[in-house]
Amino acid sequence: MTVPQPPEPIPGARLLFSLDPSVSHLNHGSFGAVPIAVQRAQQRLRDEMEANPLRFFTQGLVDRIAHARRHLAAFLGADPDGTALVGNVTAGAAVVLQSLALRPGDEVLTTDHGYGAVALSIARECARTGAVPRTLSVPLTATDEEVVEIVRTGLRPGRTRLLIVDQLTSPTARLFPTAALVAVAREQGVPVLVDAAHAPGMLPATVASIGADFWVGNLHKWAYAPRGTAALVVAPQWREKIQPLVVSWEQDSGFPTRVEWQATLDYTGWLAAPVGLFTLRSLGVDRVRAHNAALAAYGQRVVGDALGVAPERLPKPGGPAVAMRLVPLPPGVATTLDAARELRARIADRLSAEVSVAGWNGRGYLRLCGQVYNTPDEYDRLAVRLPTLLAQR
């Protein structure tokens, strides 16, 4: 089998970013990269704020945030009146968890593909309320139908108070059949929170088409917004129950303003986020999605070949638009959190490549992303040098 051909580069895309050219930035999925135009827009807003802080915070800021929110919600295919801007997906998940009024014996159900910080939030809320966290094991090779059936049989109506599923999993780069999972849970009367950390900008599915009770996605990854920009979308029947993590002066305004307003936060990232969408649209949303997914597939294959992983053993992402791919590492490598962190740091220091390394179910994985600023030779260089580095462990 031949290696898939990399996509044609998008002319000028690399110049839109201020990334260090001596480093291969192959891990866009962790912290994103903010285009220069967005950086400058946010800096102008910060200059405005610092020129007259009192005026900035007290004259029209709530309306400006609402305007930005409406713009972002339209891009996501979400109801702006049911959308609140939050700092990130973990913060949005915490808002939902603490708003449910969990009680002893209630259950929060997740899969073993969930994000670690969300799992910690679940554990803390369950410890505080007496609720019980439970995790379903989903094989990496499970089909969509098998994923749905695992969740269907794992639900406990009357006891399961919340199902949390990932639209695109972080540790395993797997696209889940989210809309089907929401439908299954609805049949059994179980509300669903969708962790869509990687969806905005990468995946074409709209929030409305998924139909979850709660959906939270980061715009600072694949939608080019400043970091600290995420959207929490809440179905109508839940909005009055949603409470902020910290009460502030807009508490009586109801959702979403009571969640968004936290007094002296730096809101300039939210206000500049529409410039990120403008950048994405200027490049062509579909064009960017196709380019990034094809480049990630190329990187997975060349690095997998270098590590001796047969093409049929490379994990499949579950959809054509996924711009993150996994490469299994040799057995015994990076199987724990500490070992994964150590290997990631060694790859960064010795190979000048930023990647994600995670241990999942006793196996270490390298996660590679594709973005418009990447080029095929960056994956080629990693493929040539990585086997030697791993042999030195």
Side-chain angles (χ1 to χ4, degrees), residues 178-237:
T178 318
L181 294 174
V182 170
V184 163
R186 180 171 292 114
E187 290 173 0
Q188 301 193 35
V190 176
V192 182
L193 165 61
V194 172
D195 178 340
H198 295 277
M202 184 204 293
L203 303 178
T206 64
V207 175
S209 69
I210 295 170
D213 299 83
F214 314 100
W215 180 102
V216 59
N218 292 322
L219 289 118
H220 53 242
K221 294 180 184 284
W222 304 90
Y224 300 155
R227 290 175 196 89
T229 306
L232 170 63
V233 184
V234 178
Q237 67 271 25

Side-chain angles (χ1 to χ4, degrees), residues 25-391:
H25 301 272
L26 308 179
N27 186 21
H28 186 88
S30 283
F31 295 100
V34 183
I36 295 171
V38 182
Q39 295 179 41
R40 290 175 176 170
Q42 185 178 15
Q43 187 57 53
R44 288 192 295 270
L45 287 161
R46 283 178 170 154
D47 292 342
E48 177 191 347
M49 175 173 63
E50 297 305 334
N52 191 333
L54 189 65
R55 180 183 181 87
F56 183 85
F57 280 97
T58 62
Q59 296 192 23
L61 181 55
V62 171
D63 291 337
R64 293 173 75 176
I65 294 171
H67 178 76
R69 180 211 314 140
R70 286 192 291 269
H71 193 100
L72 300 175
F75 174 77
L76 297 171
D79 178 3
D81 293 331
T83 302
L85 299 182
V86 293
N88 53 39
V89 163
T90 307
V95 167
V96 173
L97 284 166
Q98 62 89 41
S99 297
L100 289 179
L102 295 172
R103 297 173 296 181
D106 288 344
E107 177 181 272
V108 179
L109 185 63
T110 61
T111 78
D112 56 358
H113 295 251
Y115 185 58
V118 173
L120 290 172
S121 186
I122 295 169
R124 187 184 71 170
E125 191 64 20
C126 286
R128 188 180 70 83
T129 62
V132 178
R134 190 162 65 92
T135 303
L136 298 174
S137 178
V138 177
L140 188 59
T141 56
T143 65
D144 284 356
E145 292 75 16
E146 289 169 337
V147 173
V148 171
E149 191 56 30
I150 289 170
V151 172
R152 185 197 307 275
T153 57
L155 292 168
R156 297 173 178 174
R159 183 172 179 184
T160 306
R161 286 289 310 283
L162 183 68
L163 168 66
I164 301 180
V165 293
D166 295 70
Q167 191 167 345
L168 177 62
T169 65
S170 180
T172 56
R174 169 65 195 271
L175 185 67
F176 271 8
T178 318
L181 294 174
V182 170
V184 163
R186 180 171 292 114
E187 290 173 0
Q188 301 193 35
V190 176
V192 182
L193 165 61
V194 172
D195 178 340
H198 295 277
M202 184 204 293
L203 303 178
T206 64
V207 175
S209 69
I210 295 170
D213 299 83
F214 314 100
W215 180 102
V216 59
N218 292 322
L219 289 118
H220 53 242
K221 294 180 184 284
W222 304 90
Y224 300 155
R227 290 175 196 89
T229 306
L232 170 63
V233 184
V234 178
Q237 67 271 25
W238 291 99
R239 292 172 191 172
E240 287 306 309
K241 298 178 182 179
I242 296 296
Q243 295 292 331
L245 297 177
V246 178
V247 173
S248 193
W249 287 105
E250 292 294 329
Q251 178 67 14
D252 293 337
S253 298
F255 185 86
T257 308
R258 65 157 58 120
V259 171
E260 293 173 333
W261 186 255
Q262 295 294 309
T264 53
L265 286 184
D266 184 349
Y267 298 99
T268 59
W270 296 356
L271 300 181
V275 181
L277 297 185
F278 177 81
T279 303
L280 179 59
R281 287 172 169 139
S282 297
L283 294 171
V285 178
D286 292 338
R287 184 185 189 189
V288 168
R289 285 173 175 157
H291 171 276
N292 292 348
L295 194 56
Y298 173 81
Q300 181 194 42
R301 185 64 182 276
V302 296
V303 175
D305 283 352
L307 297 183
V309 182
E312 62 272 14
R313 294 179 64 87
L314 291 171
K316 295 177 173 57
V322 177
M324 301 194 304
R325 297 289 185 113
L326 286 192
V327 178
L329 293 168
V333 175
T335 58
T336 67
L337 179 61
D338 288 342
R341 287 173 172 171
E342 188 274 337
L343 178 58
R344 189 210 64 77
R346 279 204 298 140
I347 293 173
D349 292 342
R350 300 187 187 183
L351 306 186
S352 295
E354 295 291 355
V355 299
S356 175
V357 181
W360 185 80
N361 282 5
R363 185 70 185 265
Y365 292 93
L366 185 76
R367 191 190 73 187
L368 299 172
C369 299
Q371 188 48 264
V372 296
Y373 51 72
N374 293 128
T375 57
D377 63 284
E378 293 178 303
Y379 306 92
D380 296 338
R381 288 196 300 269
L382 180 64
V384 168
R385 302 176 65 191
L386 183 60
T388 300
L389 182 141
L390 294 178

